[in-house]
Amino acid sequence: LVAYELGAGGRMASVSFQSAAMGGVFARFPRALLVHRAAGTAGRVLYVFLVAGPAPGLQGGMARVVHLAVPRDESAGSLARMYGAFRAFNPAWAETGLLLVGPGLPQPLTLAQAFPSAEVQLSVFHLCKRLQQQVQRLALEDRVERLILAALSDTVHAATESSRRKMHALLRDLVAPDLLPQLHIRWLLDDEIWAAHRERSWGEASNYFRDLEIVTQGLSQVFSTELALESCITSLARHYQKCVSKSPPDAAMCSAPHPDHCAAWAAPQSLPASEEINRRTEEGIKQSLSDICTEPAARLCLSEFAVVQKSVQLIGTGEDALSIQVLEDAHRVNMKGPSSCTCHFNQVFQLPCRHILAVLNSDRKTLQPEMLSRQWQKGCDAHQAGQDSADGLLEILKSSWNESLDKSLVVSFLTAEVSRLLTHCSREEFEHRYRTLRELADSWIGPYIEVKL
């Protein structure tokens, strides 16, 4: 379905586009809708409509897209016609009860009038993205910036009132008062904004943010490279089709490389022989994870590798490190091994992250035991791994008793027990225990000191 207006010279001035697949998704999940706005060239703006609520059965972030539109301009009249086209394409629009929008969406009253029975609310995804970008622009000390962004990540994944209040207090105490107004930290304490997001589990919140990141970045890149609106909407439609198609090329091709990166675009090759080599490499990595890692560790790493398989990897070479970007994040992987990366996942869990797995995939290599700490390896007793990681435990056991050494011994055994509980449990139980430790650490020591779990 396509609706358009013509401008000067008979050129297309506005367009609304929706495929049959998009319409089918919205008909199944009409209750919560997210409206994303992306600026492009020549003053044009792309509006992307996505399913924002639970959508079981949808594979990949692009499957959430239900409508694409480029209005003539952002006047109330043009936007009203755009929303009108969406309603005309989708009879189920009257069932929409929640509309999520980014900060500063033009003409919010026009949107509210187009969906009179729906509540218009600020999108947590857009709120957090904006907060992240503004914090990074403040030129804070590296330690302070890392602490704030780590706390923001915790808030995204477990949006409890406690975590949001801690994030609010952290920003209030660490950011200069004259800079606080632009951060809009009051949004963190608004229960209505976080109500829908709070219902998502840790894993659901992570997948939701990843899906939206993939969709918004991919579509924005395609939209910003086209000049004529006719070719622009065609490219957007093709991009959507590639990403949701079950046959190759798959979602790994659904993002153009950023022009600022002087690096190779690691996209799937079209030759059958190359596809077979890629498939065998990926299966080898999966098998090596299964053979070497404990079950919880293997699940964590396979989750990371799934992102690698469905994303673009921008791999840049340096003297002593490789720069890896898996669509949204750029991190540095140690060339020796590779066994370490600067990303949060690798630093916290000490496991092969998506960036390390991307290097293995690119180099046609598999995971080796020396790349993994002992506590995550199969056949390694968790108590022994905990003892190995405790500094000087053997010396403590051989020494004469005193209060300081007694405390060290207690800490060592406690560390080993926590390690055992984290490595020998289901994924759901792991997430629950990790969040509990995070809450305990912040409550005991305070949110102003970054506590490595």
Side-chain angles (χ1 to χ4, degrees):
L1 298 172
V2 179
Y4 61 91
E5 300 174 8
L6 296 180
R11 304 287 292 179
M12 187 179 286
S14 73
V15 62
S16 293
F17 170 84
Q18 183 174 302
S19 70
M22 293 178 181
V25 169
F26 182 73
R28 289 169 57 200
F29 310 107
R31 301 201 177 279
L33 192 65
L34 184 143
V35 181
H36 172 73
R37 174 184 179 273
T41 57
R44 289 200 299 265
V45 177
L46 172 67
Y47 279 76
V48 184
F49 297 74
L50 306 100
V51 168
L58 295 187
Q59 299 296 321
M62 196 63 66
R64 287 181 174 270
V65 175
V66 296
H67 192 84
L68 299 170
V70 181
R72 180 186 290 266
D73 52 50
E74 293 190 285
S75 64
S78 291
L79 293 182
R81 290 192 295 275
M82 180 186 72
Y83 296 137
F86 178 89
R87 296 196 314 176
F89 290 178
N90 299 281
W93 70 268
E95 298 178 38
T96 301
L98 177 64
L99 290 164
L100 299 177
V101 301
L105 183 79
Q107 311 293 343
L109 182 59
T110 302
L111 176 62
Q113 291 172 341
F115 296 83
S117 60
E119 174 189 4
V120 180
Q121 192 57 264
L122 188 63
S123 160
V124 170
F125 169 76
H126 289 88
L127 181 159
C128 292
K129 286 290 292 182
R130 174 169 172 165
L131 187 57
Q132 176 191 15
Q133 293 166 356
Q134 290 180 330
V135 166
Q136 291 171 334
R137 294 192 191 111
L138 293 179
L140 301 171
E141 295 181 14
D142 288 344
R143 180 187 65 83
V144 174
E145 181 178 307
R146 287 198 304 270
L147 177 58
I148 291 175
L149 295 180
L152 179 61
S153 177
D154 288 341
T155 302
V156 165
H157 291 95
T160 62
E161 182 179 0
S162 173
S163 67
R164 291 186 284 118
R165 288 193 176 279
K166 288 176 182 176
M167 183 69 196
H168 182 273
L170 196 65
L171 290 169
R172 186 188 58 207
D173 293 348
L174 296 181
V175 177
D178 58 319
L179 300 176
L180 284 177
Q182 61 184 288
L183 298 181
H184 299 282
I185 64 175
R186 67 182 186 280
W187 287 340
L188 290 166
L189 303 182
D190 191 327
D191 289 335
E192 292 185 0
I193 291 176
W194 295 84
H197 187 71
R198 210 165 41 233
E199 298 175 359
R200 295 185 173 95
S201 68
W202 183 285
E204 289 170 343
S206 179
N207 291 338
Y208 175 71
F209 268 67
R210 185 190 66 231
D211 284 352
L212 294 185
E213 187 77 25
I214 290 172
V215 172
T216 55
Q217 287 210 11
L219 290 175
S220 294
Q221 289 173 7
V222 174
F223 182 63
S224 63
T225 57
E226 296 288 350
L227 295 178
L229 190 52
E230 292 86 346
S231 60
C232 177
I233 197 64
T234 302
S235 296
L236 289 169
R238 288 174 177 168
H239 177 83
Y240 166 83
Q241 185 61 33
K242 285 181 181 179
C243 292
V244 299
S245 175
K246 294 182 180 179
S247 58
D250 62 12
M253 293 189 66
C254 294
S255 178
H258 195 284
D260 293 339
H261 291 277
C262 297
W265 181 22
Q269 303 174 26
S270 58
L271 294 176
S274 298
E275 290 179 5
E276 179 63 19
I277 292 174
N278 287 338
R279 187 189 66 79
R280 290 179 179 176
T281 301
E282 292 169 357
E283 290 302 320
I285 293 174
K286 291 179 180 178
Q287 188 62 47
S288 65
L289 287 169
S290 179
D291 292 342
I292 297 172
C293 301
T294 60
E295 184 180 351
R299 286 201 303 268
L300 286 167
C301 295
L302 287 173
S303 177
E304 287 287 288
F305 191 46
V307 178
V308 173
Q309 292 175 291
K310 296 177 182 280
S311 303
V312 171
Q313 299 105 53
L314 301 180
I315 304 178
T317 58
E319 293 182 359
D320 58 352
L322 287 175
S323 177
I324 304 296
Q325 182 178 6
V326 181
L327 194 60
E328 75 276 9
D329 293 321
H331 292 284
R332 295 179 69 81
V333 174
N334 190 330
M335 289 281 286
K336 296 179 180 179
S339 59
S340 66
C341 178
T342 57
C343 75
H344 179 75
F345 179 93
N346 180 257
Q347 293 295 311
V348 172
F349 295 111
Q350 298 296 301
L351 284 169
C353 61
R354 63 189 67 175
H355 313 103
I356 291 176
L357 294 172
V359 173
L360 293 178
N361 194 37
S362 176
D363 292 346
R364 309 287 191 246
K365 295 179 180 179
T366 60
L367 185 69
Q368 301 300 316
E370 58 268 20
M371 300 178 189
L372 205 63
S373 62
R374 288 194 62 193
Q375 66 174 348
W376 291 115
Q377 294 182 28
K378 280 186 175 178
C380 175
D381 182 76
H383 283 285
Q384 184 177 350
Q387 288 179 334
D388 291 341
S389 65
D391 294 334
L393 178 57
L394 185 60
E395 294 302 319
I396 293 173
L397 292 172
K398 291 180 178 179
S399 302
S400 301
W401 179 89
N402 64 51
E403 185 178 358
S404 176
L405 290 176
D406 184 56
K407 287 183 179 179
S408 297
L409 187 60
V410 171
V411 168
S412 297
F413 280 113
L414 180 59
T415 300
E417 180 64 13
V418 170
S419 175
R420 186 187 69 81
L421 291 173
L422 284 176
T423 56
H424 294 77
C425 61
S426 66
R427 178 177 180 178
E428 293 75 13
E429 190 66 20
F430 175 87
E431 292 176 352
H432 174 72
R433 290 173 178 174
Y434 181 84
R435 288 198 300 271
T436 302
L437 281 174
R438 179 83 269 164
E439 291 283 339
L440 287 172
D442 289 343
S443 300
W444 182 26
I445 301 175
Y448 315 112
I449 301 176
E450 186 171 13
V451 183
K452 184 176 180 180
L453 295 179

